């Protein structure tokens, strides 16, 4: 919503301050010493201050009059499609190709050494938080991954930026990277203002695992500006509530402070019957958190596999992880979990990228997306808190095992309170607003599931943790549920997602039949399964 600013109000309201030409935004913020929850300030920034970044101050809102909606700003990296601006290794034959009206930098591999390319005509990076780039290529080998490593150098050829390293397995790939400038795990002294960002001399890309005949194409080199002050994005992962419901205690405290946070839930670890496992969240608990608006429930896969190692070349089970989790969150009405995905172990593979895109997911904490988030900056194990002096979005991640005691709970909350003295808390909604009308419009589409699990033999239910989404594949099929590792009172949800054919559940027992499109809740009585 566009705000209607009235200059007469500025003159009459002592808590509305306009930055003058002879001032910086930081100077104005430093002059405000009495801001509080009951005495909030609004600082208005006219044109001419776009290059500034500054510290955030609680209870002081800053609005740029040229960008009231705080849209994500993008500027093309000037000259990226001019080969004269690149220093390209001997093994590449470079060219600029126009494909369907868009320019691409194309590298054809002809050898095995000198695998780096440098962009040498770097502009001032002072007002930007990172670089976006799109890459397209095919990995034809079956023996190794293709990897891309990004680094930044100053005019003394000093390496000043921790590498962004990504690996890609067999298959066709078209992915976008976000490469942050404002955060670095090993060279924070540069980020904290000791490095002159006007002095960047080159961006280096090193390619590994490539072979003669490979072709790699680059496009959309865009410089990204998000927020000109440090922001904090809070996240907690996995479903365990920890001892004494400590995660719930922490989330209630975060809500009380009116701080947004995302909770990445493993779909299979939702407790449908509270008395069976009180260490897992119930549907009602997740729905209540989501409804109050500060805790956003997002998708952390169905069973938390490692997509790089366990499911690298397994399309069927990768798709199952997306669709089965999606089915559960859709059934619970948790809409954010149908739009946002958090990678288990930070892992991904070709098929996961394919299906996340198909289902319209945006993803966090992996450089293979166009959401301008830094990797986790803060750790509860670090004594020192590093500010993002160049602005942008930092993140803070904690798990239930980090808060197993009352002392750890208090330590975590104190740490968050300290960080929020210098970082503004932001939500998924803020990020969505940034993305509107920017690099890629945030408009996830709803796609109907195509496959959960096709039965090709008798099936052991326990393997999928007592929540089954099964397609009998056009014929009546039996599900033979073995009683090992099952206890009296164990329950299961069975869904027939096929268009024809029945599921005959436990033929050795009560011979329950589940028709297409129907589901059944069953309970184990110690020897058989019974319909609830």
């Amino acid at each position: 919503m566009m705000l209607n600013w009235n200059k007469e109000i500025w003159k009459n309201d002592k808590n509305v301050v306009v930055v003058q030409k002879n001032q910086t935004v930081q100077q104005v913020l430093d002059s405000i010493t009495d801001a509080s929850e009951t005495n909030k300030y609004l600082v208005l920034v006219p044109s001419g201050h776009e290059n500034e970044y500054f510290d955030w101050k609680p209870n002081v809102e800053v609005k740029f009059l040229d960008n009231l909606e705080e849209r994500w700003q993008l500027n093309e990296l000037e000259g990226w499609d001019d080969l004269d601006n690149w220093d390209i290794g001997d093994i590449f034959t470079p060219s600029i190709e126009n494909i369907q009206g868009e320019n691409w930098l194309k590298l054809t591999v002809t050898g095995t050494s000198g695998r780096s390319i440098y962009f040498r005509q770097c502009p001032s990076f002072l007002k930007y938080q990172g670089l976006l780039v799109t890459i397209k290529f095919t990995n034809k080998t079956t023996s190794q991954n293709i990897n891309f490593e990004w680094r930044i150098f100053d005019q003394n050829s000093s390496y000043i930026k921790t590498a962004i390293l990504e690996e890609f397995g067999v298959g066709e790939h078209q992915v976008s990277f976000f490469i942050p400038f404002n955060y670095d795990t090993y060279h924070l002294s540069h980020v904290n203002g000791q490095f002159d960002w006007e002095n960047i001399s080159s961006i280096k890309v090193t390619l590994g695992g490539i072979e003669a005949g490979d072709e790699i194409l680059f496009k959309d080199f865009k410089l990204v500006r998000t927020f000109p002050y440090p922001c904090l994005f809070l996240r907690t992962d996995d479903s365990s509530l920890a001892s004494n419901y400590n995660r719930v205690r922490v989330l209630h405290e975060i809500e009380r402070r009116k701080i947004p946070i995302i909770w990445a839930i493993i779909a299979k670890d939702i407790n449908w019957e509270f008395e069976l496992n009180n260490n897992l969240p119930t549907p009602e608990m997740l729905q209540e958190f989501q409804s109050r608006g500060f805790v956003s429930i997002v998708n952390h896969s169905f069973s938390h596999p490692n997509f790089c190692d366990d499911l690298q070349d397994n399309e069927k089970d990768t798709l199952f992880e997306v669709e089965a989790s999606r089915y559960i969150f859709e059934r619970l009405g948790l809409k954010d979990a149908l739009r946002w995905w958090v990678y288990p172990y930070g892992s991904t593979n070709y098929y996961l990228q394919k299906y996340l895109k198909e289902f319209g997911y945006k993803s966090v904490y992996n450089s293979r997306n166009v959401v301008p988030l830094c990797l986790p900056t803060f750790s509860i194990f670090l004594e020192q808190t590093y500010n993002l002096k160049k602005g942008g979005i930092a993140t803070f991640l904690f798990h239930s095992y980090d808060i197993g005691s009352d002392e750890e709970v208090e330590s975590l909350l104190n740490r968050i309170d300290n960080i929020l003295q210098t970082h503004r808390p932001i939500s998924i909604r803020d990020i969505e607003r940034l993305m509107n009308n920017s690099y890629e419009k945030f408009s996830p589409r709803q796609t109907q599931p195509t496959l959960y699990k096709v039965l090709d033999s008798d099936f052991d239910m326990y393997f999928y943790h007592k929540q089954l989404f099964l397609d009998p594949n056009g014929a009546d099929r039996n599900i033979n549920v073995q009683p090992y590792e099952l206890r009296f009172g164990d329950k299961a949800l069975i869904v027939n997602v096929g268009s024809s054919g029945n599921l005959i559940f436990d033929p050795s027992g009560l011979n329950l039949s589940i028709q297409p499109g129907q589901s059944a809740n069953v309970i184990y009585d110690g020897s058989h399964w019974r319909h609830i």
Side-chain angles (χ1 to χ4, degrees):
M1 180 180 70
M2 288 294 292
L3 301 177
N4 183 20
W5 300 102
N6 186 324
K7 292 186 177 182
E8 293 304 315
I9 295 179
W10 303 349
K11 297 177 181 178
N12 298 329
D13 190 341
K14 73 178 182 65
N15 285 22
V16 179
V17 183
V18 181
V19 179
Q20 304 300 317
K21 288 183 178 180
N22 61 344
Q23 295 176 303
T24 66
V25 179
Q26 188 66 59
Q27 287 172 336
V28 172
L29 291 177
D30 291 342
S31 70
I32 298 173
T33 59
D34 60 343
S36 67
E37 188 67 31
T38 57
N39 188 43
K40 296 185 178 181
Y41 278 80
L42 172 63
V43 173
L44 301 176
V45 185
S47 300
H49 298 271
E50 293 83 359
N51 291 350
E52 296 181 30
Y53 51 92
F54 46 89
D55 297 333
W56 182 75
K57 176 175 270 190
N59 300 309
V60 179
E61 184 177 8
V62 178
K63 286 286 185 182
F64 279 74
L65 296 179
D66 291 339
N67 190 18
L68 290 177
E69 295 180 341
E70 293 185 312
R71 286 186 176 170
W72 177 5
Q73 178 184 334
L74 286 153
N75 287 337
E76 188 170 34
L77 181 62
E78 188 175 347
W80 73 264
D81 54 355
D82 184 347
L83 291 181
D84 290 339
N85 292 330
W86 290 92
D87 182 355
I88 297 177
D90 295 337
I91 73 164
F92 299 114
T93 300
S95 61
I96 301 295
E97 303 285 332
N98 189 283
I99 302 174
Q100 296 180 339
E102 295 183 305
N103 280 348
W104 292 77
L105 169 63
K106 179 179 177 180
L107 303 178
T108 302
V109 182
T110 58
T112 58
S113 61
R115 297 169 299 156
S116 298
I117 64 174
Y118 294 81
F119 185 74
R120 298 175 297 189
Q121 304 296 321
C122 292
S124 167
F125 286 172
L126 190 64
K127 66 178 179 179
Y128 299 108
Q129 279 87 51
L131 175 71
L132 279 172
V133 62
T134 299
I135 304 175
K136 181 166 66 174
F137 63 96
T138 301
N139 185 0
K140 294 171 276 191
T141 181
T142 58
S143 60
Q144 58 188 350
N145 295 336
I146 290 180
N147 61 72
F148 296 83
E149 182 180 68
W150 299 79
R151 294 185 176 187
I152 299 173
F153 291 81
D154 64 16
Q155 291 186 352
N156 297 318
S157 298
S158 297
Y159 157 48
I160 64 157
K161 183 72 181 70
T162 302
I164 300 295
L165 177 65
E166 287 283 355
E167 296 184 339
F168 299 86
V170 177
E172 296 181 0
H173 303 272
Q174 179 168 327
V175 294
S176 295
F177 285 105
F178 174 67
I179 304 153
F181 297 157
N182 56 345
Y183 166 63
D184 185 291
T185 51
Y186 301 109
H187 299 279
L188 284 161
S189 60
H190 299 305
V191 179
N192 285 338
Q194 297 177 27
F195 179 77
D196 181 0
W197 286 90
E198 300 277 355
N199 264 341
I200 296 236
S201 66
S202 61
I203 299 173
K204 177 183 177 182
V205 188
T206 301
L207 289 75
I210 53 178
E211 298 180 347
D214 287 344
E215 295 179 346
I216 299 96
L217 294 97
F218 299 81
K219 72 163 185 173
D220 286 341
F221 287 85
K222 300 289 179 62
L223 294 165
V224 182
R225 178 176 171 85
T226 58
F227 296 103
Y229 40 81
C231 294
L232 178 69
F233 191 59
L234 275 178
R235 162 190 166 196
T236 185
D237 275 9
D238 305 336
S239 307
S240 169
L241 301 180
S243 60
N244 301 317
Y245 300 92
N246 280 348
R247 195 198 298 264
V248 175
R249 292 171 56 199
V250 169
L251 290 175
H252 281 316
E253 284 297 318
I254 288 173
E255 284 185 315
R256 189 177 65 81
R257 291 163 166 80
K258 298 182 180 180
I259 302 169
I261 185 173
I262 65 171
W263 187 1
I265 289 287
I266 304 168
K268 76 173 182 62
D269 288 339
I270 296 175
N271 181 13
W272 294 88
E273 295 294 334
F274 193 76
E275 68 275 12
L276 290 181
N277 188 341
N278 60 13
N279 193 40
L280 295 176
T282 63
E284 293 76 17
M285 179 188 296
L286 297 177
Q287 290 163 342
E288 288 174 8
F289 271 122
Q290 183 83 64
S291 67
R292 291 194 292 267
F294 290 101
V295 180
S296 295
I297 309 301
V298 299
N299 196 336
H300 201 32
S301 80
F302 178 73
S303 66
H304 206 279
N306 189 315
F307 287 93
C308 289
D309 297 334
D310 302 333
L311 299 182
Q312 177 67 48
D313 300 315
N314 191 329
E315 180 176 12
K316 189 176 179 180
D317 285 350
T318 295
L319 179 57
F320 177 84
E321 287 290 328
V322 178
E323 290 190 325
S325 59
R326 199 178 158 75
Y327 180 89
I328 292 172
F329 292 122
E330 189 170 34
R331 190 164 177 261
L332 295 178
L334 299 171
K335 295 183 179 180
D336 285 335
L338 306 180
R339 298 155 61 86
W340 288 90
W341 178 277
V342 172
Y343 296 90
Y345 307 109
S347 67
T348 187
N349 64 35
Y350 165 73
Y351 300 111
L352 181 59
Q353 293 299 309
K354 171 184 175 183
Y355 289 117
L356 290 182
K357 184 175 182 180
E358 177 181 326
F359 282 93
Y361 273 99
K362 291 297 175 193
S363 49
V364 294
Y365 309 108
N366 186 301
S367 61
R368 298 187 203 179
N369 60 66
V370 292
V371 180
L373 296 172
C374 294
L375 296 173
T377 307
F378 305 114
S379 165
I380 64 172
F381 304 111
L382 294 178
E383 294 182 1
Q384 186 177 358
T385 295
Y386 298 109
N387 297 345
L388 289 183
K389 292 296 187 182
K390 273 179 58 61
I393 307 169
T395 63
F396 187 105
L397 165 64
F398 65 92
H399 294 80
S400 62
Y401 52 74
D402 297 321
I403 47 176
S405 67
D406 291 344
E407 292 77 12
E408 288 172 329
V409 168
E410 290 304 314
S411 175
L412 174 70
L413 292 172
N414 288 337
R415 186 71 192 281
I416 291 173
D417 288 340
N418 288 337
I419 295 172
L420 289 175
Q421 296 303 305
T422 55
H423 290 68
R424 167 190 156 187
I426 63 169
S427 67
I428 281 182
R429 309 289 169 259
D430 293 308
I431 296 173
E432 289 180 6
R433 188 179 71 251
L434 273 177
M435 298 181 73
N436 285 339
N437 300 315
S438 296
Y439 181 73
E440 182 173 333
K441 188 172 177 60
F442 190 91
S443 55
R445 61 187 178 88
Q446 301 299 315
T447 306
Q448 292 299 316
T450 56
L451 169 72
Y452 289 96
K453 185 75 177 179
V454 175
L455 295 180
D456 51 18
S457 63
D458 286 346
F459 193 79
D460 174 8
M461 183 196 70
Y462 197 80
F463 179 75
Y464 273 105
H465 306 278
K466 294 174 288 188
Q467 295 184 37
L468 296 182
F469 308 86
L470 303 175
D471 180 354
N473 203 22
D476 292 353
R477 303 304 296 268
N478 291 336
I479 309 173
N480 184 21
V481 182
Q482 302 296 329
Y484 69 88
E485 295 190 77
L486 298 173
R487 301 173 302 168
F488 175 83
D490 276 353
K491 297 181 181 181
L493 168 68
I494 313 295
V495 182
N496 184 340
V497 299
S499 58
S500 61
N502 295 333
L503 295 170
I504 313 301
F505 186 61
D506 196 7
S508 64
L510 299 180
N511 215 29
L512 304 174
S513 180
I514 306 171
Q515 298 177 353
Q518 294 186 352
S519 62
N521 285 288
V522 294
I523 189 169
Y524 187 61
D525 67 5
S527 59
H528 295 98
W529 289 89
R530 296 183 179 276
H531 193 248
I532 301 175

